[in-house]
Amino acid sequence: MDGTVAVDGGWVRGHEDGGLWAFLGVPYARAPRGRLRWRPPQRPEPWSGVRDAREPGPLAPQPLPAASLPGDPVEQSEDCLHLSVWTPGLDASRRPVLVWVHGGGFTSGTAGSVIYRPRRLSAEGDVVVVNVNYRLGALGFLAHPALGSGTGVSANWALLDQIAALRWVRDHIASFGGDPSKVTVFGESAGAMCISALLAAPDARGLFGGAIVQSGPPYTLSAPRAAEVAASFVRELGMPEVSRDALEAVPPQELVAALGALSRRPPRAGELPQPLLPVVDGATLPVTPIRAVSGGAAASVATIVGTNRDEMTFFALSDPSTHAMDRASLHERLERSAPYVPSDRVVDHYRGVLSKRGEPATPRGLWVAAGSDIVFRWPSLRLAAALRAHSPRTYVYLFTWESPAFGGTLGATHALEIPFVFGTYADPGISPFVVGGGDGAETRGGGGEGNASAGPGSRIRADTLSAAMRDSWVSFARSLDPSNSAVGRWPAWDGDERATMVFGRSVGVERAPRNDELAVWESVAPLPGVAGMASGPTGD
């Protein structure tokens, strides 16, 4: 077998990599530059001969330095619409397909990062894994009516890229040993937020039957708000108004710098610090994702929705002020992040819950707990409830494994679950953040081999946790049910029992874990369709 496959544009040659065939940097669309900036993706430009697919494609333009781990690609280019495929065999086995959409705050990241290399996930699970690059920053998310001249499309370029990649998978994955009728999309943070949007996108319907949303609530901007943001963005470039012709001539790194300047401005109350998000444009997203899903837009899709216990500690790494947070700054953060609930009420409620558990009720501890719920967990559970109203195949997890980095202050931080899902937790450059020193196998150096289905209080190894998560993701991709021998039966979630798979020092199903603190949010933003509750003010 010579490892050559015909795709849209020409022939590509992969290489064997640890028992897998890897095809890296395969174009799924033409370079979106010049007159193709802020246009829907076009079919790849044909090439002659056989294209060598040994290196991941360039990163989308983003802030420097872009590479975060040794071995990550560093070249940036607007010619970024590439994907990579890993498969156990170029045969007719019709394996389940997992399509990864990377995160990075909508402004950074790459599908080619070593943390996302799916050697263990693909080989041990006997699945095909596809990692997708897409446009980032202003090139992927700038939205304004002036950009729609002649096309009728004026927003959501990155979502359109992802839809184009999923169409490529539908049309080509059988040649890589995959089954186009068994496609599951999975992603984290901004990538998962994009997947939450794709659940509501009519053009994405039928392209995937499963979705795994890792820390990715369905955040969007309205079209009028997106136009205001675009006007502020071009003022950073010294332009009086949004002009497609003028913007097409701006070098990519100037666009990146202008967005960076805009991002340093304090967000409006109730908004994320990221100024650019998917947009409810009436075309790609006719209505908000939560409204679309509540109306049954994703009824045919099975989903896993989850978050990490201490999401907000990750963002404190770039915000030293959180370590010196006092009562006044805590209230200021809460009033900015959740203006619909009095901050005194939030502080009193969380202080009572955390103190009862024996957890730190310092201003920083209160912010990590409340902020993680405000930004990630409660809106994710509202998405799960909206999905569950139409699909019984809705599952929820909570990730609680604690990072040993920075003296253990990160806890179960944002993105920590990713190397467990991919099996890269022990790789150089990753293991210190995930499992610490020694052989990288134990959490806090304790416990024995353990079992993923062991009872509460037992300790398991990192390799056991990773195997449990990979088995769950693969089982879901295969059958749209994540239950498996490693974790046992994973029951579907509903808004009453709230059965949740907890992945941490022990793995198992818990009923409504860490639910007491959520009451303050449930009172103002109740779960859609649960016990007669109506939709609340956030995410609608």
Side-chain angles (χ1 to χ4, degrees):
M1 184 180 297
D2 67 357
T4 58
V5 177
V7 297
D8 191 10
W11 288 83
V12 292
R13 176 179 287 113
H15 66 286
E16 287 190 273
D17 178 17
L20 295 174
W21 282 100
F23 294 78
L24 310 182
V26 179
Y28 67 85
R30 192 170 301 219
R33 56 190 168 201
R35 297 299 297 175
L36 294 183
R37 269 188 186 175
W38 300 293
R39 301 278 185 181
Q42 308 295 308
R43 291 183 61 183
E45 190 170 3
W47 59 87
S48 59
V50 178
R51 182 185 179 112
D52 189 46
R54 290 180 171 271
E55 298 293 335
L59 291 74
Q62 56 191 271
L64 295 170
S68 58
L69 292 168
D72 280 0
V74 296
E75 178 189 357
Q76 297 192 27
S77 172
E78 288 186 80
D79 186 8
C80 61
L81 301 187
H82 301 80
L83 52 77
S84 296
V85 181
W86 283 263
T87 180
L90 301 173
D91 51 31
S93 293
R94 296 180 72 83
R95 299 170 179 84
V97 182
L98 282 158
V99 179
W100 174 252
V101 183
H102 72 82
F106 304 100
T107 61
S108 63
T110 171
S113 176
V114 296
I115 198 172
Y116 308 141
R117 300 289 168 88
R119 294 182 182 92
R120 298 187 70 179
L121 179 63
S122 178
E124 296 178 18
D126 193 32
V127 293
V128 179
V129 181
V130 181
N131 289 1
V132 177
N133 260 7
Y134 55 95
R135 281 175 277 187
L136 298 171
L139 294 168
F141 295 95
L142 191 68
H144 192 276
L147 300 179
S149 175
T151 67
V153 179
S154 60
N156 295 315
W157 319 106
L159 295 184
L160 294 172
D161 293 343
Q162 294 157 19
I163 291 170
L166 287 167
R167 287 174 175 155
W168 187 99
V169 168
R170 177 195 62 194
D171 295 342
H172 295 298
I173 208 64
S175 298
F176 294 87
D179 186 345
S181 71
K182 283 191 175 182
V183 174
T184 291
V185 291
F186 69 132
E188 187 269 344
S189 196
M193 292 176 193
C194 288
I195 291 173
S196 293
L198 293 178
L199 289 168
D203 287 345
R205 206 156 295 157
L207 295 176
F208 55 91
I212 304 175
V213 181
Q214 301 173 208
S215 303
Y219 288 112
T220 55
L221 295 178
S222 69
R225 177 60 182 143
E228 292 176 358
V229 174
S232 298
F233 172 75
V234 298
R235 284 196 290 271
E236 293 288 347
L237 291 166
M239 297 180 183
E241 61 183 6
V242 179
S243 163
R244 169 183 280 280
D245 290 342
L247 283 168
E248 286 174 353
V250 178
Q253 282 305 322
E254 290 186 21
L255 298 174
V256 171
L259 182 57
L262 186 62
S263 300
R264 288 189 287 273
R265 298 183 187 179
R268 290 184 179 182
E271 290 189 350
L272 295 180
Q274 293 89 348
L276 297 179
L277 299 168
V279 176
V280 181
D281 61 348
T284 304
L285 292 180
V287 297
T288 62
I290 199 74
R291 288 192 184 278
V293 169
S294 295
S300 62
V301 181
T303 53
I304 298 175
V305 177
T307 55
N308 297 359
R309 189 191 65 203
D310 308 309
E311 301 271 8
M312 297 308 291
T313 58
F314 178 89
F315 305 96
L317 291 174
S318 58
D319 183 6
S321 67
T322 59
H323 296 283
M325 188 181 297
D326 57 16
R327 180 180 176 86
S329 58
L330 169 63
H331 280 269
E332 190 275 332
R333 284 174 185 260
L334 290 170
E335 288 163 3
R336 188 172 66 237
S337 300
Y340 42 86
V341 182
S343 61
D344 284 338
R345 179 183 169 193
V346 176
V347 170
D348 291 344
H349 181 76
Y350 273 82
R351 180 180 289 118
V353 172
L354 268 61
S355 297
K356 184 177 180 181
R357 290 202 194 112
E359 297 176 7
T362 62
R364 181 183 183 276
L366 290 166
W367 168 245
V368 168
S372 297
D373 289 340
I374 293 167
V375 179
F376 290 100
R377 191 168 184 222
W378 189 244
S380 292
L381 291 179
R382 295 189 76 243
L383 173 64
L387 290 160
R388 181 65 175 82
H390 297 276
S391 174
R393 299 173 303 178
T394 302
Y395 306 88
V396 167
Y397 74 85
L398 179 66
F399 183 85
T400 62
W401 179 280
E402 298 176 356
S403 168
F406 302 100
T409 59
L410 291 176
T413 194
H414 187 68
L416 188 62
E417 87 287 359
I418 295 173
F420 289 93
V421 169
F422 280 91
T424 55
Y425 59 91
D427 289 4
I430 300 173
S431 61
F433 184 75
V434 178
V435 294
D439 64 2
E442 299 286 351
T443 174
R444 294 181 175 175
E449 176 68 27
N451 184 282
S453 57
S458 63
R459 292 177 182 266
I460 65 171
R461 295 165 56 99
D463 53 2
T464 307
L465 176 59
S466 178
M469 297 192 76
R470 285 183 280 116
D471 286 354
S472 298
W473 269 231
V474 167
S475 295
F476 183 75
R478 198 173 300 281
S479 67
L480 300 181
D481 182 340
S483 303
N484 61 85
S485 60
V487 304
R489 178 176 173 268
W490 184 337
W493 187 89
D494 65 60
D496 298 319
E497 292 296 319
R498 304 186 187 183
T500 303
M501 184 64 71
V502 177
F503 290 108
R505 283 191 271 166
S506 61
V507 175
V509 177
E510 296 185 23
R511 182 182 182 275
R514 303 184 71 84
N515 195 65
D516 291 346
E517 55 264 67
L518 300 180
V520 69
W521 312 117
E522 190 154 13
S523 67
V524 295
L527 299 178
V530 174
M533 297 176 181
S535 295
T538 60
D540 297 335

